[in-house]
């Protein structure tokens, strides 16, 4: 897991772009990405709240994909 701070443009567009990328990290290919997003200030006013909400949304997305 990792956190990405995105400061411009459309968050939805950014997530779509990240999801289609093929990642190669230490010789391991990642073909899919589960992402949870949160936005300041609408979803929270501090990093702890924003990260917790994004994490919750990511796990909801993983459950949805597995069905």
């Amino acid at each position: 897991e990792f956190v990405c701070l995105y400061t411009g443009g459309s968050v939805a567009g950014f997530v779509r772009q990240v999801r289609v990328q093929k990642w190669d990290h230490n010789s391991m290919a990642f073909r899919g990405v589960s992402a949870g997003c949160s936005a300041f200030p609408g979803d929270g006013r501090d990093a702890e709240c924003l990260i917790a909400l994004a994490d919750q949304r990511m796990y909801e997305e993983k459950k949805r994909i597995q069905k």
Side-chain angles (χ1 to χ4, degrees), residues 2-6 9-19 33-44 46-62:
F2 62 92
V3 172
C4 178
L5 177 62
Y6 183 66
S10 164
V11 172
F14 173 73
V15 171
R16 277 192 303 274
Q17 183 179 6
V18 168
R19 284 184 175 167
V33 174
S34 295
C37 296
S38 60
F40 175 85
D43 291 327
D46 61 48
E48 185 176 336
C49 288
L50 292 167
I51 291 169
L53 182 57
D55 197 47
Q56 175 188 341
R57 289 175 175 169
M58 178 187 66
Y59 284 106
E60 289 170 359
E61 175 72 4
K62 284 183 176 185

Side-chain angles (χ1 to χ4, degrees), residues 8-30:
S10 164
V11 172
F14 173 73
V15 171
R16 277 192 303 274
Q17 183 179 6
V18 168
R19 284 184 175 167
V20 299
Q21 299 297 316
K22 293 181 181 172
W23 300 89
D24 183 14
H25 178 61
N26 295 329
S27 299
M28 295 173 58
F30 294 87

